[in-house]
């Protein structure tokens, strides 16, 4: 059984995830930071694309001590399984995601990954080969299901999220909209990649909730499955 997939992103009021140089910027505030830490602590695994690892060097650890303790009390690892989507095994061996906090890491690679690169990463992460060129995301989710991963949080970036939407693999979306304009036609947005041409191809969403958060707004959407629309 595939995990339930939810995407969480923070974007500016003009729909940008970061600057045109792909430099990480603070978009949301303290309340949203705590909300994200909470939902992270509740999931089995958390996923990012290699673009995010190279740009932001995130650790994807749970930060709050009480939330970490709660996971341990429940018999879970302190942090969710951390997963990088990385066809060519470009994850730096000193990346924070491989070293900060205990727990399992998975780097999903494709047939394009050089064996010496996967060998260098293998002391720090399980290497999962999935796909010939890009990582085959639906096959990877099937594999994650076999590991007992039931809930998967996706933190970005826009290229990975765009592919997950295009393949109908997203169940829920949380969008925190911050109170700034970042601008730039080339700045990342929540669903980059090739995009859609016909309106019938657009994934459609159902608004579940909205709330004011810090100086912005949080939107919670569920994704309408194609089979639900007819
Ligand atoms: P990304 O989505 O993190 O990673 C994309 C890369 O993943 C691709 O270029 C590709 O590289 C690899 N990949 C492998 N298989 C794939 C597949 N099937 N579909 C899609 N990607 C696949 O990178 P990004 O779009 O450049 O996003 C990074 C930016 O987003 C940074 O600026 C970061 O700061 C920002 N960000 C913002 C937030 C937020 O909430 N505001 C969150 C996260 C990131 P290979 O072909 O080399 O494998």
């Amino acid at each position: 059984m595939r995990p339930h997939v939810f995407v969480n992103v923070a974007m500016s009021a003009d729909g940008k995830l970061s600057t045109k140089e792909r430099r990480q910027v603070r978009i949301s505030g303290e309340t949203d930071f705590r909300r994200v830490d909470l939902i992270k602590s509740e999931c089995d695994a958390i996923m990012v694309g290699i673009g995010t690892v190279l740009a932001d060097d995130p650790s994807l650890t749970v930060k709050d001590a009480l939330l970490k303790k709660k996971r341990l009390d429940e018999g879970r690892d302190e942090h969710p399984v951390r997963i990088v989507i990385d066809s060519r095994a470009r994850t730096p061996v000193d990346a924070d995601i491989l070293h900060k906090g205990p727990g399992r890491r998975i780097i999903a690679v494709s047939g394009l990954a050089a064996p010496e690169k996967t060998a260098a990463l293998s002391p720090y992460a399980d290497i999962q080969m999935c796909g010939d060129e890009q990582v085959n995301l639906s096959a990877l989710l099937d594999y994650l299901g076999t590991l007992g991963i039931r809930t998967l949080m996706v933190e970005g970036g826009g290229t990975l999220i765009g592919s997950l939407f295009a393949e109908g693999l997203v169940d829920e979306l949380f969008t925190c909209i911050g109170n700034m304009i970042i601008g730039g036609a080339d700045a990342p947005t929540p669903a980059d990649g090739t995009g859609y041409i016909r309106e019938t191809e657009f994934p459609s969403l159902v608004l579940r909730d909205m709330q004011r958060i810090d100086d912005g707004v949080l939107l919670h959407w569920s994704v309408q499955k194609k089979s639900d629309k007819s």
Side-chain angles (χ1 to χ4, degrees):
M1 194 173 62
R2 279 186 192 157
H4 182 83
V5 175
F6 67 94
V7 170
N8 183 80
V9 286
M11 68 179 195
S12 58
D14 59 326
K16 306 297 182 187
L17 296 183
S18 63
T19 66
K20 61 185 176 184
E21 305 104 338
R22 293 184 135 59
R23 184 170 48 80
Q24 186 179 31
V25 281
R26 184 150 189 165
I27 293 174
S28 55
E30 273 308 311
T31 312
D32 192 59
F33 178 87
R34 287 194 297 276
R35 176 193 67 85
V36 174
D37 204 35
L38 174 65
I39 58 175
K40 190 190 297 172
S41 76
E42 291 171 341
C43 66
D44 295 326
I46 181 163
M47 175 186 281
V48 288
I50 180 62
T52 297
V53 171
L54 295 175
D56 303 350
D57 195 18
S59 67
L60 304 182
T61 51
V62 175
K63 304 296 186 291
D64 184 273
L66 288 176
L67 294 175
K68 287 191 271 195
K69 179 174 180 305
K70 182 165 183 279
R71 284 183 63 96
L72 291 173
D73 289 347
E74 290 166 354
R76 309 167 91 186
D77 285 344
E78 195 169 78
H79 305 288
V81 177
R82 286 166 276 171
I83 302 166
V84 184
I85 303 302
D86 181 11
S87 312
R88 291 171 281 164
R90 290 187 291 151
T91 302
V93 288
D94 60 351
D96 278 355
I97 199 168
L98 300 178
H99 299 283
K100 287 210 170 154
R104 186 173 188 179
R105 286 90 166 164
I106 298 172
I107 300 182
V109 302
S110 75
L112 295 183
E116 59 274 19
K117 289 200 167 170
T118 55
L121 290 168
S122 60
Y124 312 108
D126 297 339
I127 308 295
Q128 181 63 25
M129 169 81 79
C130 216
D132 298 330
E133 295 187 352
Q134 284 222 303
V135 173
N136 181 328
L137 297 170
S138 61
L140 178 67
L141 292 190
D142 288 339
Y143 168 70
L144 297 178
T146 68
L147 301 181
I149 291 172
R150 297 282 167 262
T151 49
L152 173 67
M153 174 171 173
V154 179
E155 274 250 311
T159 308
L160 173 62
I161 298 169
S163 290
L164 288 165
F165 269 113
E167 295 183 41
L169 298 173
V170 181
D171 299 296
E172 285 181 86
L173 170 66
F174 294 88
T175 318
C176 180
I177 305 174
N179 63 331
M180 76 289 293
I181 302 293
I182 295 178
D186 297 331
T189 74
D192 290 330
T194 51
Y196 307 94
I197 295 169
R198 286 182 290 279
E199 286 183 38
T200 51
E201 297 172 319
F202 295 170
S204 43
L205 308 176
V206 177
L207 186 62
R208 295 293 177 198
D209 197 14
M210 56 186 286
Q211 69 184 86
R212 194 180 172 125
I213 191 162
D214 301 313
D215 293 317
V217 60
L218 175 67
L219 303 176
H220 177 197
W221 309 91
S222 59
V223 182
Q224 209 174 0
K225 296 291 164 192
K226 299 275 181 213
S227 53
D228 299 341
K229 287 190 197 170
S230 47

